[in-house]
Amino acid sequence: MQLYFLCTGNSCRSQMAEGLAKALLPPTWRIQSAGVEVHGLNPQAVFAMAARGLDISRAQSKLIDPDYLATSDVVITLCGDARDRCPALAPGTHALHWPLPDPAQATGSAAERAVVFATVRDQIEVLIRATWPQEVQA
């Protein structure tokens, strides 16, 4: 199975989704993330994942790879911008849309922003578990 998570800048949601999917799904799955733009890895996403024991600190913000996209079994867009700007998918590619809020747009104190990142991270985990309940590893 080849899975691709897409969002606008590949800095928060898609990076967290990639990290969670790699932790939850079988190691035989190929899992990547990308964006329609490159915004750099958001340090708050790294912190939110570290709080769950997952290290995404070496991840890099990437543009959509047309070859990976063309061979993906499932493409999941995590925001309307990515859904609207995503290149055409190959026939047979299963497209899902998980419209999650952009945690990078959160306002308030550092603690309040951290809660938003953690909430989005947890929503992604719920969606992964619900989409592939038979595949999620214990």
Side-chain angles (χ1 to χ4, degrees):
M1 177 72 73
Q2 185 164 299
L3 176 59
Y4 214 6
F5 290 102
L6 304 177
C7 66
T8 301
N10 191 221
S11 65
C12 301
R13 292 166 286 195
S14 56
Q15 292 285 359
M16 291 191 292
E18 178 182 350
L20 284 162
K22 285 180 175 177
L24 295 169
L25 297 171
T28 54
W29 285 39
R30 294 182 60 211
I31 301 164
Q32 290 189 27
S33 66
V36 294
E37 301 168 4
V38 175
H39 292 176
L41 181 62
N42 188 304
Q44 290 182 295
V46 174
F47 179 77
M49 295 296 284
R52 293 295 294 280
L54 300 172
D55 182 7
I56 65 166
S57 64
R58 296 180 199 265
Q60 299 205 5
S61 182
K62 304 169 293 299
L63 288 174
I64 296 170
D65 176 341
D67 294 329
Y68 193 88
L69 181 68
T71 58
S72 291
D73 299 296
V74 179
V75 174
I76 301 174
T77 53
L78 303 171
C79 65
D81 186 46
R83 181 196 57 211
D84 296 345
R85 295 172 60 192
C86 181
L89 300 178
T93 301
H94 187 65
L96 296 173
H97 180 60
W98 296 347
L100 299 167
D102 184 358
Q105 301 299 316
T107 58
S109 69
E112 291 167 331
R113 291 190 311 273
V115 167
V116 173
F117 273 83
T119 300
V120 171
R121 176 204 62 210
D122 294 347
Q123 289 173 328
I124 293 167
E125 181 174 355
V126 166
L127 288 164
I128 290 170
R129 288 180 181 280
T131 304
W132 297 285
Q134 302 300 322
E135 299 290 337
V136 172
Q137 303 203 24

